[in-house]
Amino acid sequence: MADKAFKTYTEQRKILENRGLIISHPRSFRDIMLREGYYNIINGYKKHFLTTTSPDQYIAQTTFEQLYALYLFDQELRTLFMSALIKIEKHIKALLAYHFSEKYGNDDNVYMNLNNFNCDTIRNERRAEALIRIFNQDLRYYEQHGNNAICHYRNVHGYVPLWVANGVLSFGTIQHFYASMKLPDQQNISRHFNLSASDLNGFLGLLKAFRNICAHG
């Protein structure tokens, strides 16, 4: 098994140099490692600069600056994507809350009720049941931890409407919600994008994956 013991920045630099990576500015290397972390840069992006992986060997004349430049480019690209994805997420949440509440009502019991979701097969019913469990867990968590909006509506109004609840739900849960809706309810949302219900569902799944990559690497 490979040795994963702690190594100083000097030791890390020497290992990389032995593998063929050119590090012309040791102090700059150390500062970047302190700020960004060895794993995030080296393990995340080295594969694009290697000739072999057992053991790692860098392409001749590869510099740390080149590897770090790719890392920075990817960070900027993810930032740009994330900005657009957040706008899309807000749009989807707003449409979902509006159309679902318009049809079924404001009370949180409506999105805890299996009858308001697609349960035409055992698989769909189980998916809807899983969604309701997520709603229960998330709302309970925020109520216990004193989230202002959730606690306010629960304490003052006795319920948490969907347009408040979806503010604390992940994009993955929102995609799960849309996938669990009845077809006419999905179509009320998908028509805003001139898409079929199934196409929008596919896009949401793809956007969820992109969002996770942008947020977590």
Side-chain angles (χ1 to χ4, degrees), residues 93 138-139 142 147 149-150 160 163-170 173:
K93 284 183 174 182
D138 286 351
L139 291 184
Y142 284 101
N147 178 273
I150 300 297
V160 181
W163 61 82
V164 174
N166 72 13
V168 300
L169 298 176
S170 70
T173 301

Side-chain angles (χ1 to χ4, degrees), residues 90-133:
K90 289 181 178 179
H91 191 185
I92 293 295
K93 284 183 174 182
L95 291 173
L96 192 151
Y98 178 85
H99 286 294
F100 194 85
S101 300
E102 179 185 37
K103 183 171 181 178
Y104 298 105
N106 299 337
D107 196 298
D108 48 26
N109 286 329
V110 300
Y111 54 83
M112 301 289 188
N113 188 340
L114 272 178
N115 293 325
N116 296 333
F117 295 97
N118 181 10
C119 295
D120 59 352
T121 66
I122 293 177
R123 178 184 178 185
N124 287 338
E125 183 175 357
R126 288 176 177 172
R127 181 171 58 191
E129 289 173 341
L131 174 69
I132 291 172
R133 285 196 298 272

Side-chain angles (χ1 to χ4, degrees), residues 14-167:
K14 289 180 178 178
I15 289 172
L16 291 171
E17 287 175 333
N18 288 334
R19 293 172 178 172
L21 185 65
I22 299 172
I23 303 176
S24 302
H25 306 285
R27 180 173 294 182
S28 176
F29 170 82
R30 179 180 180 277
D31 290 344
I32 292 171
M33 291 298 104
L34 283 169
R35 185 170 63 250
E36 307 287 356
Y38 180 97
Y39 184 87
N40 293 330
I41 300 175
I42 304 302
N43 289 52
Y45 298 88
K46 66 180 180 180
K47 65 181 180 180
H48 304 290
F49 300 91
L50 297 176
T51 56
T52 63
T53 58
S54 298
D56 287 353
Q57 187 63 39
Y58 286 87
I59 298 169
Q61 303 303 312
T62 299
T63 66
F64 173 72
E65 286 75 18
Q66 291 172 327
L67 199 153
Y68 184 49
L70 178 60
Y71 169 81
L72 292 178
F73 172 78
D74 191 43
Q75 299 304 299
E76 290 294 327
L77 190 61
R78 281 199 270 163
T79 298
L80 291 173
F81 270 102
M82 194 65 175
S83 177
L85 287 167
I86 288 173
K87 293 179 181 179
I88 295 171
E89 178 178 342
K90 289 181 178 179
H91 191 185
I92 293 295
K93 284 183 174 182
L95 291 173
L96 192 151
Y98 178 85
H99 286 294
F100 194 85
S101 300
E102 179 185 37
K103 183 171 181 178
Y104 298 105
N106 299 337
D107 196 298
D108 48 26
N109 286 329
V110 300
Y111 54 83
M112 301 289 188
N113 188 340
L114 272 178
N115 293 325
N116 296 333
F117 295 97
N118 181 10
C119 295
D120 59 352
T121 66
I122 293 177
R123 178 184 178 185
N124 287 338
E125 183 175 357
R126 288 176 177 172
R127 181 171 58 191
E129 289 173 341
L131 174 69
I132 291 172
R133 285 196 298 272
I134 293 172
F135 266 112
N136 274 309
Q137 292 168 2
D138 286 351
L139 291 184
R140 190 180 306 114
Y141 172 86
Y142 284 101
E143 287 176 34
Q144 291 173 348
H145 289 77
N147 178 273
N148 289 334
I150 300 297
C151 289
H152 170 77
Y153 272 85
R154 179 69 72 203
N155 295 332
V156 175
H157 302 285
Y159 64 94
V160 181
L162 184 56
W163 61 82
V164 174
N166 72 13

Side-chain angles (χ1 to χ4, degrees), residues 193-211:
F193 305 97
N194 294 319
L195 294 171
S196 69
S198 61
D199 282 347
L200 180 57
N201 189 43
F203 277 123
L204 292 179
L206 185 63
L207 291 173
K208 179 185 71 173
F210 268 96
R211 195 189 190 288

